[in-house]
Structures are given as structure tokens and as C-alpha cells.
Amino acid sequence: MAKTSVKDKEASNLKDRAVFFIAFIILLILLDIISKGRYLTASNIKSLITQSVVPTFIAWGMCFIFTTGVMDLSIGAIMILASNMGGTLAVSLGFGYPGLIIGSILAAVILQTINLTLFTKANIPSWVAGLGMAMIYESVGSVYSSHMISLGKQAVDLGNKCRALGASPVNMIVWIIGLVIAYIIFNRTSAGLNIRAIGGNKAVSKMMGINIEKAIIISGMIGGVFLGLASAINESYSGRIMPVTGLSSIASIFTSLAILFLAQSFESKVNLTIGVLFSAFLISSLFNVLTILGVPSGTWQEVCLGISIIFFGILSQRGNKGVSK
């Protein structure tokens, strides 16, 4: 009976995944029809992947951080500081790609560790603390930029250096490597198991002997690695990441939020880390087709993004009787 039950469950999971991938292919074909054949072209698909890489890495970072129940809204500000740290090591100190990657990751991990330590110690909602940290990190970046300008210089600019990481085919290779790493850590390690257990039920996790505070901080460190990689890739692609103020950095993570919510909405059919990759491509495709159809960016496309976040958020929370914090 047990063996039959396991076989039935495996068959059901296989069927669900098959349905998902078929639906995914059908959706791509529909988008191509809507765009009158301008969507499924080699150059456009290449562009879509390039646009998807950074949001995917951010969403993978969110998988580890947000799954524990933490809502960190300072991620965008952290990435700005991480990008500038990586760029400084790469160009100003001459460490090249190792400096860009290691510097970005190190900065993101340190700042995420600070955040998660604060979140676990302070008796306030994480999103409130996250807003405060976002303002602090934005101010640090702004002060640094102003100081550089006063010296007759500017914030980090890669120029023609270290630009391959953000361009194809390197970004595609990094994208796939990131998927493998995210999948293994999230599903095949004790840290990932603890993170998912806490996300399921903190009280039960504590009775199981899981150190909740330690596991949450570790989740932030792992998430910081993916945010650092996103920062390095984004810096490589853009060449220069400017500081912002007034909580403007939060806007930079909205797309990744939509990606995460969409991936969570069909998590029962496809593993979350894999779902994030497909979700990122679908979200990028949505805006790509809107652009092809002449829908103005910055206005109606932003409306579509806002609706997507709300809609996918509702889908991701269906069946959850608790209150999102």
C-alpha cells in the first residue's frame, strides 16, 4: 500500500510538472501570436534572458530570506552599496572580476547579517525595521557619492572593464549555475531544510530543536550571496549604479517580488527555485510584449506590474489562514 501510494504521488507530481511545462510553452506561443511573430525570435529571447538574470538572482535571495517570515525591504539599498563595493574593488583597486564578485557578495552578506540580527533581536515587524535600514543604507550611499563629487570624482564607473558578466553568453551560464546552486542549497542541505521548516511553522520547528534565530540569520547570509551576485551582474551590465534616496531603492525589487509571488503560486507543481527562473522569464516576457505593442513604460507598464504583484501575492497566499507579516 505504501509503495503504491508513493508511486501514485510520484506519478501525480510528474503529471503536474508536465502540465506546467505544456502550459508554459502554450503561453509563449500565445505571446508570439499577440506580438505578431516578434516575440519568439532569437535576438528577442536573448534579450529576455539578459533582462531576467538580475531579477532572478534577487528572487532567489528572497526565497531564502522571505521564506522564514522576514520581509526585508532594504534589499534594493543593500544591492546599491554592494554594487559600488564590488565596482571599487574591481576598478579602483584593480582586482577585476574577482574584486567585483567577491566585493559585492561580501558587502551584501555583511549587510544582510546585520539586518537579520536586528530583525531577530528587535521586537518590531521586520518590514518596519527594513524600511529604517533602507533609509540608512541609502543615506550612506548618497554621502559617499557626494564626497566623491566634492573631490572632483564620481561614483564607481566600470567603463569598459568587467562588462562581460552582465552580457551573453556569460550571464546565461551564470544564470544556470545559479539555478543549480539555489536548488541544492534550498532543497538538499540542512540549512535549506531549516529555512523551509521555519517558513512552515516556527513553533513546530522550535520543538524539533531548530535554533530559530540562528537559522534566520543563516538564511540572510545565504540570501546575501545571491543578492551580491545580482549586484555584481547588474553593475557589470549597467557599468554604474547610482545611489538613491527617499526609499526609491524599494522600487528596484518590485519585479523580483512579483517573480517570487508567481513562483510561490505554483510551488505545488514546480520547485520554488526552478519556478523563480520560469517566473522571471514570464514577467520579462510580459513587459517585452507590452513594449512591442506600444504600451508606455513608466505608466501603464508600472500599473501592470502593480496589478501583477497584487494578483500573484493573492495566489501565493491562497490556503494560508495566517496573516502575512
Side-chain angles (χ1 to χ4, degrees):
M1 288 290 290
K3 289 183 178 179
T4 303
S5 179
V6 171
K7 287 182 178 179
D8 290 342
K9 186 176 180 180
E10 290 178 350
S12 178
N13 290 338
L14 184 61
K15 180 181 178 181
D16 286 341
R17 284 191 284 269
V19 169
F20 170 81
F21 288 116
I22 291 172
F24 180 79
I25 297 299
I26 291 174
L27 181 57
L28 297 189
I29 294 173
L30 288 175
L31 290 175
D32 190 55
I33 293 172
I34 292 171
S35 65
K36 297 180 180 179
R38 290 179 289 175
Y39 171 71
L40 288 179
T41 63
S43 60
N44 196 50
I45 295 300
K46 179 180 176 181
S47 176
L48 283 172
I49 293 175
T50 296
Q51 295 169 21
S52 301
V53 174
V54 172
T56 300
F57 273 91
I58 298 174
W60 278 329
M62 289 178 173
C63 285
F64 292 96
I65 299 168
F66 287 21
T67 297
T68 60
V70 171
M71 176 66 74
D72 187 0
L73 297 178
S74 68
I75 286 176
I78 286 175
M79 287 184 58
I80 292 173
L81 293 181
S83 294
N84 280 278
M85 172 63 78
T88 298
L89 292 180
V91 178
S92 301
L93 299 182
F95 288 114
Y97 286 106
L100 176 63
I101 296 171
I102 295 174
S104 297
I105 291 176
L106 187 60
V109 169
I110 290 173
L111 295 178
Q112 270 298 317
T113 303
I114 293 172
N115 280 13
L116 271 295
T117 301
L118 173 64
F119 296 166
T120 55
K121 299 293 185 182
N123 191 26
I124 57 175
S126 58
W127 67 268
V128 175
L131 285 175
M133 297 307 292
M135 287 188 282
I136 292 172
Y137 295 147
E138 285 182 353
S139 297
V140 170
S142 179
V143 169
Y144 169 74
S145 180
S146 298
H147 174 68
M148 295 298 289
I149 291 173
S150 68
L151 296 177
K153 302 178 182 179
Q154 60 179 359
V156 179
D157 190 342
L158 294 183
N160 295 322
K161 299 179 180 179
C162 302
R163 303 301 298 273
L165 188 63
S168 60
V170 177
N171 59 0
M172 298 182 189
I173 296 172
V174 173
W175 202 39
I176 299 303
I177 293 175
L179 171 63
V180 174
I181 295 173
Y183 180 87
I184 292 173
I185 296 176
F186 195 75
N187 300 284
R188 297 288 186 266
T189 66
S190 58
L193 176 62
N194 290 343
I195 289 169
R196 288 183 286 118
I198 293 172
N201 192 308
K202 282 188 179 181
V204 174
S205 299
K206 190 172 183 179
M207 287 190 289
M208 290 170 58
I210 297 175
N211 186 324
I212 304 296
E213 184 175 316
K214 180 180 178 182
I216 290 176
I217 292 174
I218 290 175
S219 75
M221 296 175 70
I222 297 173
V225 172
F226 286 95
L227 296 179
L229 286 169
S231 302
I233 296 168
N234 197 31
E235 177 80 2
S236 179
Y237 177 76
S238 303
R240 183 182 181 190
I241 305 298
M242 293 297 296
V244 297
T245 57
L247 294 177
S248 299
S249 61
I250 297 178
S252 65
I253 67 172
F254 284 166
T255 300
S256 297
L257 271 176
I259 290 168
L260 179 62
F261 289 153
L262 178 57
Q264 288 176 336
S265 70
F266 48 70
E267 189 176 358
S268 61
K269 295 178 175 59
V270 180
N271 183 270
L272 182 62
T273 53
I274 298 174
V276 161
L277 185 142
F278 283 96
S279 298
F281 189 81
L282 285 176
I283 296 293
S284 294
S285 297
L286 170 64
F287 290 105
N288 177 260
V289 171
L290 288 174
T291 300
I292 291 174
L293 296 177
V295 177
S297 60
T299 51
W300 288 110
Q301 288 194 22
E302 293 298 314
V303 171
C304 291
L305 176 58
I307 293 173
S308 298
I309 291 174
I310 295 171
F311 178 71
F312 297 145
I314 293 172
L315 287 180
S316 68
Q317 292 297 314
R318 70 188 189 281
N320 182 6
K321 298 180 180 179
V323 178
S324 297
K325 297 182 180 179

